[in-house]
Amino acid sequence: MSKTFETNAEKALTMASCLKRHFNEVEHLGVSREILNKLESNAKRAIEMNREVDNLRETVSEKLHKANDKLKEVKDLAMNYRKMVKMNFPQEKWERYGIMDKR
């Protein structure tokens, strides 16, 4: 998603690790190993999810580029046929060929 997102998760992961290392010094403050384990696992999962989102964004970007290329091809072909009909038939018959232009 963003570098800030991953940075925040990494900071939480580092903090959990450091609090675990010095658990005896912070235990009396109400810090529990269970909560530190949860913080650590949630931070790791958040980092994984962020990377998954980045991969999905890349995939979507590639597909969007291909879709835009295909749409350009469609528009070019349609424009060629539209011109062909307009140049060879009177305006009253354009609608018959799927051209709704009025002029």
Side-chain angles (χ1 to χ4, degrees):
M1 281 191 267
S2 72
K3 193 66 182 162
T4 304
F5 182 96
E6 192 164 334
T7 300
N8 286 333
E10 287 173 350
K11 285 179 181 179
L13 193 58
T14 300
M15 183 176 63
S17 175
C18 290
L19 286 171
K20 279 182 172 182
R21 230 179 304 135
H22 302 285
F23 185 73
N24 294 337
E25 299 170 33
V26 295
E27 184 178 18
H28 73 280
L29 300 173
V31 177
S32 72
R33 287 194 187 278
E34 182 183 329
I35 298 298
L36 291 177
N37 289 337
K38 186 175 182 176
L39 175 61
E40 188 175 52
S41 68
N42 286 346
K44 286 178 181 178
R45 183 64 183 129
I47 291 168
E48 283 176 29
M49 292 171 81
N50 185 52
R51 291 179 181 158
E52 288 173 19
V53 168
D54 287 341
N55 290 337
L56 289 170
R57 273 199 183 114
E58 188 175 322
T59 300
V60 167
S61 179
E62 291 169 6
K63 287 190 184 261
L64 181 59
H65 181 72
K66 289 177 182 177
N68 284 334
D69 288 347
K70 194 57 69 180
L71 180 60
K72 183 185 178 327
E73 187 178 325
V74 166
K75 288 170 82 175
D76 290 346
L77 287 169
M79 183 174 57
N80 289 338
Y81 282 117
R82 185 179 295 115
K83 284 180 183 178
M84 180 186 66
V85 169
K86 285 183 172 185
M87 292 171 72
N88 290 291
F89 295 97
Q91 183 177 356
E92 303 81 45
K93 292 190 177 185
W94 290 357
E95 189 173 335
R96 178 182 191 179
Y97 300 104
I99 299 173
M100 304 303 163
D101 298 352
K102 298 297 179 194
R103 37 186 266 220

